[in-house]
Amino acid sequence: QEQLVESGGGLVQPGGSLRLSCATSGFIFDRYAMGWYRQAPGKERELVAYISAGRVITYGDPVKGRCTISRDNAKSTVYLQINNLRTEDTAVYYCVRRGTELLWGQGTQVTVSS
């Protein structure tokens, strides 16, 4: 069974940092581009970052310069480090496998608040 499981979300103060993880199983991880999207209440889902199988990286405009995506093929896991968090970063963060069909995780809540 193909599966993506996010972890690492939580409550953090403005200016803080978080590292999100997405553990995958059921498919050959290193063959796929992987990404992170987020969705805030009342807003559309937006790209945070993605990393290709060849480790080419693209960042979405809202997090550019504050975010690092990485992958560990040996662990079949993709990571997202977000620094200098802002209240507007509050959202559910979703891991996604890109391919002929998108495979989504269940999401992890990130709340930035003082």
Side-chain angles (χ1 to χ4, degrees):
Q1 181 182 0
E2 299 176 333
Q3 198 171 11
L4 309 177
V5 179
E6 301 97 331
S7 61
L11 175 63
V12 62
Q13 293 188 340
S17 299
L18 275 179
R19 189 193 195 206
L20 306 181
S21 300
C22 173
T24 76
S25 59
F27 60 93
I28 302 175
F29 178 78
D30 58 8
R31 293 185 180 178
Y32 289 89
M34 300 295 301
W36 290 92
Y37 282 70
R38 70 184 186 185
Q39 188 166 21
K43 295 188 176 181
E44 293 187 354
R45 197 168 292 192
E46 64 178 1
L47 172 69
V48 178
Y50 72 84
I51 182 168
S52 73
R55 301 181 188 270
V56 176
I57 291 172
T58 300
Y59 292 108
D61 287 340
V63 299
K64 203 169 287 185
R66 301 186 292 121
C67 179
T68 302
I69 188 171
S70 61
R71 63 189 296 158
D72 185 336
N73 288 346
K75 295 182 179 180
S76 299
T77 300
V78 59
Y79 304 98
L80 184 72
Q81 174 79 30
I82 315 174
N83 301 318
N84 191 21
L85 282 157
R86 306 166 180 168
T87 55
E88 55 263 39
D89 293 320
T90 295
V92 178
Y93 285 71
Y94 296 93
C95 178
V96 63
R97 185 193 73 185
R98 299 169 69 103
T100 53
E101 294 183 357
L102 299 180
L103 177 67
W104 295 93
Q106 83 287 351
T108 185
Q109 175 71 47
V110 172
T111 302
V112 184
S113 175
S114 55

